[in-house]
Amino acid sequence: MVKKAIIPAAGYGTRNLPITKVVPKELFPIGNKPAINYVVEEAMAAGIEEILIVVSRSKNLIADYFDRSLELEAYLERKQKTKLLEKIKIPKIQIQYTRQPYAKGLGDAILLGKNFVGNEPFAVLLPDEVIFEKETDGLIQLTKLYDENKSSVLGLYKVEKQLLSSYGVVEWENLKKDIVEITSIVEKPVNNPPSDMAVIGRYVFNPSIFSCLEKTKPGVGGEIQLTDAINEMIKSEKIYGVTIHGNRFDISRFEEYLAANQYIQPFIE
């Protein structure tokens, strides 16, 4: 069973400047909750019991959001605003934090969770991608496959050709409906992407990924790329991909952020 998860949230958010100078993109509101709240709820629905959020020193607002506000609670209690008290309850899950001192890439951020994970399988959820699915939350689709095979799993999504240069794109061999075996992955291909299937921000890894990350040298953008470590991992063990069902939005893209808000609007109380 997958019980631990890492949420990397230390990036600069350059695609969303200038607002990300002061507001972390993970706290962008979707409806009346920030994006990262939905991601934490998704992790909880998949059975995750402990989360490590990787932050930078400019992301203290994230820790503040998941902390109690005793003054506000006391005020709402005095005013007998019970419904509002319910809205500010923090998720009932253990959340820890660690800082990424320098922005050295997603691979480096995940490597900071090595001691937190120990020798257990773990999930990775990128908080700038939210998935809304009425029947099965996104991460559950990965953890279910992991429980069946005990092999690492990547969440996949069919992406329009002109957007593939923003993602890791996989080569694969078909196994059965919605499930493939990954044979390689290319980070942000500019020309000739190997397929139209991109890795989105959901992963389940065996802890062996850490030894691969430790060997990984800076790649695209001078950063420690998770995709390079995955390619190294493929040499010694199987990695599967599963097509994620649900409405997925990349909030780093303005039009998708707006679409996420439009989608969630009917469900807001």
Side-chain angles (χ1 to χ4, degrees), residues 33 36-46 51 65-66 91 137:
K33 293 190 290 189
I36 195 169
N37 198 126
Y38 293 100
V39 175
V40 168
E41 289 174 349
E42 180 186 334
M44 293 170 65
I51 293 176
Y65 176 78
F66 287 112
D137 286 306

Side-chain angles (χ1 to χ4, degrees), residues 116-153:
F116 165 77
V117 168
N119 197 35
E120 300 179 38
F122 67 102
V124 175
L125 302 94
L126 303 192
D128 50 1
E129 298 189 50
V130 293
I131 301 170
F132 299 119
E133 170 58 40
K134 294 178 183 177
E135 296 181 1
T136 307
D137 286 306
L139 185 62
I140 290 178
Q141 298 169 56
L142 277 70
T143 55
K144 181 180 178 182
L145 184 58
Y146 179 85
D147 290 340
E148 292 172 359
N149 297 287
K150 306 303 180 188
S151 295
S152 299
V153 186

Side-chain angles (χ1 to χ4, degrees), residues 10 13 38 66-67 82 107 129 131 137 139 148 174 178 187 208 232 234 238 248 266 268:
Y38 293 100
F66 287 112
D67 198 359
T82 308
E129 298 189 50
I131 301 170
D137 286 306
L139 185 62
E148 292 172 359
N174 192 47
D178 296 332
E187 177 66 19
S208 52
E232 182 65 27
I234 289 171
K238 289 185 177 182
R248 169 253 181 200
I268 298 174

Side-chain angles (χ1 to χ4, degrees), residues 156-191:
L156 305 178
Y157 206 82
K158 190 171 184 177
V159 173
E160 296 176 21
K161 186 175 181 180
Q162 67 270 24
L163 301 179
L164 288 170
S165 60
S166 298
Y167 299 93
V169 181
V170 299
E171 286 188 285
W172 46 271
E173 293 179 356
N174 192 47
L175 294 180
K176 57 183 178 179
K177 188 177 185 295
D178 296 332
I179 299 173
V180 300
E181 183 176 341
I182 306 297
T183 56
S184 70
I185 179 170
V186 180
E187 177 66 19
K188 298 179 179 178
V190 177
N191 298 307

Side-chain angles (χ1 to χ4, degrees), residues 214-237:
E214 288 169 336
K215 299 173 188 173
T216 300
K217 292 180 169 53
V220 175
E223 298 180 341
I224 305 298
Q225 295 292 343
L226 176 60
T227 50
D228 292 340
I230 292 171
N231 277 324
E232 182 65 27
M233 199 177 186
I234 289 171
K235 296 177 182 177
S236 58
E237 56 187 275

